[in-house]
């Protein structure tokens, strides 16, 4: 039987750790796998002003990594110092640390890598007659042949820590991670050329090009075809890049790139802001694709929070969260039909009458309004009546279906032809055939109208006959006390009974029958993590989504051609009309060319 070791052993003397052990501990933080080495060395090359960077790998980077650049180079006298821990040319004071504009600044990378590998540096400064090569293990400095710039070679990664080497994956997996590390740099620096070689073969190359071309080269033509440009300049920020359309979302979050001042980062606030922008247009657990660049004053962001510099901390994280979210929402709001040709109508949102909205007390119109064209029969869509403008306002265009002056080819979603299977609307536009899921499309139209109409009103609540009393954490109790008004706006009346007990006295009337305690806990968590306005808006939208689904036209409901055309015109005016509230597509285009191919015309 094995003896059990006592946690309290004999006292050990406090002593300084050996330098080699200190470096190996640091390497455990900085160097996780070959891709970590590639990232750090490319960072240094970019800071040196390189215009061309070449990465050469053997065995996925485990056996050998060579990074060559044409940057400024390192004087021979400074080469030995470059391998010492916390030795760097990039900062010299606290003020410079708080305004870091370089990729690296800690001075740990080369020392950490040298502690777990065989490392050598060959570099030539512009003023030197030739290069010098330094062996990190022996410290020997010898002349070498190469042009101005630096070459860093790393061999047998983790040879001195075999236990770490066992955690590496296959060569193919490590190679994929190395390639991704270079791709992340390439997206941020289109002004620099990158090449990746493996086992003597060119694996990938990105030549210097404008940003749009660099994104196309790095992520492919499909991403460009299924993404939209993002541009926003809120106070103190500049946001640019491209975000993928919802129906091009992926099963994995492997095509999401966020850069802060040119540095690739993983930030939960930014990711959440982007995810929120996709909240009611993304289907299931699909992941959006995006490349987003955020420019902010260096003094407003702390990059010194993680050894690998992959995380940052903003001085005002909420401001960045909201700015990113609104920028993405604005880009996604444009209906896709407007991308190919402008619609004939201004992108105004005409008031829409709905019995559902009337029952909910939502003022979607201003003053008393009456239909501008005869009311449809009982079989028609009762929420698509276009209403006249207020007295004194300029007259609006007549409904599209009744205007003989325009041909259907000028409407992005075309002219309705027929219904198919009681579910789809078939329409003809300039490009060919448009197929519309009438329930999904109408659901989005009603949902956006309800969102606009609610505009800060309080959600109707329903008192509980017997309050639901449940245990709560200290954080939940504190949140309930701090956000009483926000909770009431959401239809939740929470009373603090003690330091660890809450009582739910009312809940949203539209959600009767659900697990109200679970709802209250979820809302409290949202309020604690994000601002109250965000939690209120999210809960309201979930309720309105349910209301819109019940109020939208159902399958197998017979529509007239006028009613179908009215729905198409409303779709053209409605934001996010390409997806329903659950993220499913609302329409698809089948071009004449595709039809010709299916019927073998011209062959």
């Amino acid at each position: 039987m094995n003896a059990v070791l006592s946690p309290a052993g004999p006292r050990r003397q406090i002593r300084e750790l050996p330098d080699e052990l200190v470096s190996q501990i640091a390497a455990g933080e900085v160097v996780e796998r070959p891709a970590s080495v590639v990232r750090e060395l490319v960072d240094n090359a970019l800071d040196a002003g390189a215009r061309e960077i070449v990465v050469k790998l053997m065995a996925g980077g485990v056996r050998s990594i060579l990074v060559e650049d044409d940057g400024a180079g390192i004087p021979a006298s400074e080469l030995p110092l470059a391998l010492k821990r916390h030795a760097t040319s990039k900062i010299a004071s606290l003020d410079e640390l708080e305004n870091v504009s370089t990729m690296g600044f800690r001075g740990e990378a080369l020392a950490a890598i040298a502690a777990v590998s065989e490392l050598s540096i060959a570099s030539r400064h512009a003023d030197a007659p030739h290069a010098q090569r330094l062996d990190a293990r022996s410290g020997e400095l010898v002349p070498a042949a190469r042009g101005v710039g630096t070459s860093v070679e790393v061999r047998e990664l983790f040879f001195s820590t075999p236990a770490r080497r066992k955690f590496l994956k296959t060569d193919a997996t490590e190679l994929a991670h190395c390639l991704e590390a270079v791709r992340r740099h390439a997206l941020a620096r289109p002004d620099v050329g990158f090449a990746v070689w493996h086992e003597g073969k060119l694996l990938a190359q990105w030549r210097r090009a404008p940003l749009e071309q660099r994104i196309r080269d790095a992520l492919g033509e499909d991403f460009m075809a299924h993404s939209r440009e993002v541009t926003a300049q809120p106070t103190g920020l500049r946001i640019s890049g491209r975000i993928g359309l919802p129906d091009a979302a992926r099963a994995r979050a492997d095509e999401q790139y966020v850069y802060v001042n040119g540095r690739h980062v993983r930030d939960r606030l930014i990711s959440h802001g982007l995810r929120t922008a996709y909240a009611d247009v993304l289907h299931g657990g699909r992941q959006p694709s995006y490349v987003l660049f955020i420019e902010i004053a260096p003094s407003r962001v702390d990059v010194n929070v993680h050894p690998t510099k992959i995380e940052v901390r903003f001085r005002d994280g909420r401001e960045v969260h909201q700015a990113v979210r609104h920028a993405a929402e604005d880009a996604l709001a444009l209906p896709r039909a407007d991308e190919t040709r402008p619609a004939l109508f201004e992108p105004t949102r005409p008031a829409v009458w709905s019995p559902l909205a009337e029952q909910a007390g939502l003022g979607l119109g201003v003053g008393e309004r009456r239909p501008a064209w005869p009311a449809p029969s009982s079989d028609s869509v009762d929420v698509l009546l276009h209403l006249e403008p207020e007295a004194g306002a300029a007259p609006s265009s007549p409904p599209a279906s009744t205007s003989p002056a325009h041909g259907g080819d000028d409407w992005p979603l075309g002219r309705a032809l027929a219904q198919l299977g009681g579910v789809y609307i078939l329409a003809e536009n300039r490009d060919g055939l448009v197929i519309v899921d009438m329930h999904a499309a109408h659901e989005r139209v009603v949902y956006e109208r309800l969102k606009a109409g609610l505009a800060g009103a309080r959600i109707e609540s329903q008192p509980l006959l017997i309050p639901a009393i449940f245990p709560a954490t200290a954080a939940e109790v504190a949140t309930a006390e701090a956000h009483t008004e926000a909770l009431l706006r959401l239809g939740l009346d929470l009373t603090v009974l003690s330091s660890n007990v809450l009582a739910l006295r009312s809940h949203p009337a539209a959600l009767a029958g659900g697990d109200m305690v679970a709802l209250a806990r979820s809302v409290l968590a949202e309020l604690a993590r994000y601002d109250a306005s965000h939690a209120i808006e999210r809960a309201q939208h979930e309720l309105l989504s349910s209301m819109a689904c019940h109020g939208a036209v159902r399958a197998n409901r017979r529509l007239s051609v006028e009613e179908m055309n009215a729905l198409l015109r409303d779709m053209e005016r409605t934001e996010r009309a390409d997806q329903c509230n659950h993220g499913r597509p609302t329409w698809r285009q089948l071009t004449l060319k595709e039809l010709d191919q299916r019927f073998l015309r011209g062959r």
Side-chain angles (χ1 to χ4, degrees):
M1 185 173 179
N2 294 330
V4 178
L5 296 177
S6 171
R11 181 184 177 279
R12 302 182 65 175
Q13 181 182 357
I14 299 174
R15 61 171 65 91
E16 286 188 275
L17 293 175
D19 288 342
E20 185 177 9
L21 182 56
V22 170
S23 296
Q24 288 175 341
I25 292 173
E29 298 176 334
V30 176
V31 184
E32 178 185 1
R33 62 195 331 153
S36 306
V37 175
V38 171
R39 181 188 65 241
E40 296 288 352
L41 297 183
V42 173
D43 278 350
N44 286 342
L46 292 172
D47 287 340
R51 298 300 304 276
E52 296 290 339
I53 299 175
V54 178
V55 179
K56 298 180 180 179
L57 308 168
M58 299 289 287
V62 179
R63 282 176 47 203
S64 174
I65 299 171
L66 174 62
V67 176
E68 301 177 316
D69 68 64
D70 61 351
I74 305 171
S77 60
E78 297 179 16
L79 275 175
L81 192 60
L83 295 178
K84 291 187 176 294
R85 298 183 64 242
H86 306 305
T88 180
S89 63
K90 299 166 187 178
I91 61 170
S93 65
L94 179 61
D95 181 64
E96 290 184 347
L97 177 62
E98 293 177 347
N99 292 274
V100 171
S101 59
T102 54
M103 300 298 292
F105 55 89
R106 287 170 170 261
E108 290 181 310
L110 289 178
I113 296 168
V116 291
S117 69
E118 295 286 353
L119 182 145
S120 64
I121 305 177
S123 186
R124 179 183 174 186
H125 191 262
D127 298 332
H130 57 78
Q132 295 282 345
R133 182 182 302 276
L134 174 66
D135 183 271
R137 183 66 52 181
S138 66
E140 184 181 7
L141 188 65
V142 297
R146 70 145 295 154
V148 174
T150 302
S151 300
V152 181
E153 185 173 16
V154 178
R155 290 185 175 274
E156 302 301 334
L157 188 62
F158 298 134
F159 85 98
S160 59
T161 53
R164 295 284 305 279
R165 192 158 185 166
K166 292 178 181 178
F167 284 93
L168 297 179
K169 306 300 182 183
T170 64
D171 290 353
T173 299
E174 298 302 336
L175 174 61
H177 284 288
C178 290
L179 182 61
E180 180 64 17
V182 181
R183 190 195 315 276
R184 289 172 179 173
H185 283 95
L187 284 167
R189 294 295 302 271
D191 59 319
V192 178
F194 295 85
V196 180
W197 294 74
H198 185 247
E199 306 285 356
K201 297 180 180 178
L202 182 61
L203 189 65
Q205 184 173 24
W206 297 289
R207 300 183 185 278
R208 282 177 280 176
L211 178 58
E212 183 176 344
Q213 184 61 45
R214 174 57 62 84
I215 295 175
R216 179 178 284 106
D217 293 341
L219 300 182
E221 192 63 48
D222 280 350
F223 176 81
M224 295 297 294
H226 297 92
S227 63
R228 285 179 177 160
E229 185 178 3
V230 177
T231 303
Q233 286 187 297
T235 305
L237 290 171
R238 185 176 186 277
I239 301 171
S240 59
R242 297 189 71 87
I243 60 173
L245 295 172
D247 52 2
R250 303 162 70 89
R252 298 171 54 204
D254 59 348
E255 208 172 69
Q256 299 178 349
Y257 301 89
V258 175
Y259 297 87
V260 176
N261 293 343
R263 185 189 307 277
H264 179 265
V265 300
R266 288 195 299 262
D267 185 83
R268 275 193 264 180
L269 276 173
I270 295 175
S271 297
H272 185 273
L274 287 164
R275 186 73 190 183
T276 303
Y278 282 89
D280 57 2
V281 294
L282 209 58
H283 185 57
R286 305 284 289 176
Q287 295 289 335
S289 300
Y290 47 77
V291 179
L292 205 67
F293 302 95
I294 300 173
E295 296 177 29
I296 185 172
S299 59
R300 297 179 61 194
V301 57
D302 183 4
V303 298
N304 189 28
V305 297
H306 194 277
T308 63
K309 307 177 291 293
I310 193 66
E311 297 178 8
V312 295
R313 184 185 296 117
F314 295 100
R315 179 178 295 178
D316 189 344
R318 185 170 297 174
E319 176 191 21
V320 176
H321 175 278
Q322 293 296 89
V324 168
R325 174 191 167 198
H326 291 314
E329 283 180 337
D330 290 345
L332 292 171
L334 177 68
R336 193 180 311 171
D338 291 346
E339 292 183 339
T340 55
R341 78 179 72 88
L344 288 178
F345 302 97
E346 294 297 323
T348 55
R349 298 177 179 81
V352 176
W353 174 82
S354 164
L356 179 64
E358 190 175 83
Q359 293 168 10
L362 303 177
L364 297 185
V366 180
E368 293 190 15
R369 304 189 181 216
R370 59 183 178 83
W373 48 295
S377 65
S378 59
D379 291 334
S380 63
V381 187
D382 57 3
V383 291
L384 289 172
L385 299 182
H386 292 258
L387 306 180
E388 285 185 341
E390 296 180 84
S396 61
S397 301
S401 57
T402 63
S403 175
H406 304 294
D409 287 348
D410 292 325
W411 296 319
L413 294 180
R415 178 182 58 232
L417 301 176
Q419 267 182 290
L420 177 64
V423 176
Y424 300 103
I425 294 173
L426 303 183
E428 178 187 9
N429 67 359
R430 181 181 302 170
D431 298 321
L433 180 66
V434 175
I435 305 173
V436 178
D437 182 333
M438 65 184 194
H439 172 76
H442 190 220
E443 184 180 359
R444 169 59 70 179
V445 170
V446 175
Y447 175 53
E448 292 296 332
R449 297 303 189 265
L450 290 175
K451 280 202 305 185
L454 188 57
R458 179 173 296 187
I459 292 178
E460 183 181 356
S461 64
Q462 176 179 322
L464 288 169
L465 185 63
I466 301 176
I469 299 174
F470 60 96
T473 64
E476 288 173 334
V477 171
T479 303
E481 290 179 327
H483 297 286
T484 302
E485 181 58 32
L487 290 165
L488 290 174
R489 287 186 63 192
L490 293 172
L492 294 169
D493 183 2
L494 281 171
T495 303
V496 178
L497 298 184
S498 71
S499 60
N500 59 354
V501 177
L502 292 173
L504 178 63
R505 301 187 182 279
S506 66
H507 62 80
L511 294 183
D515 187 344
M516 293 300 108
V517 172
L519 172 67
R521 289 185 184 279
S522 175
V523 172
L524 287 173
E526 287 284 328
L527 287 171
R529 186 172 183 182
Y530 304 103
D531 59 289
S533 63
H534 166 67
I536 292 171
E537 184 177 357
R538 179 173 175 177
Q540 287 176 343
H541 288 182
E542 288 178 357
L543 295 178
L544 296 185
S545 178
S546 177
M547 295 168 66
C549 186
H550 289 289
V553 60
R554 298 294 178 181
N556 298 316
R557 187 168 183 179
R558 189 175 185 83
L559 304 181
S560 68
V561 173
E562 288 79 7
E563 291 158 355
M564 288 187 280
N565 274 323
L567 176 56
L568 297 178
R569 303 292 79 78
D570 268 340
M571 288 175 64
E572 292 166 353
R573 294 183 177 96
T574 301
E575 294 182 348
R576 306 172 187 86
D578 303 323
Q579 282 80 29
C580 76
N581 313 340
H582 313 294
R584 294 188 296 106
T586 58
W587 66 279
R588 284 290 182 263
Q589 175 82 58
L590 194 60
T591 66
L592 290 174
K593 182 178 180 180
E594 290 171 325
L595 290 171
D596 289 343
Q597 290 174 345
R598 291 178 182 271
F599 287 95
L600 306 180
R601 290 181 60 86
R603 296 189 182 181

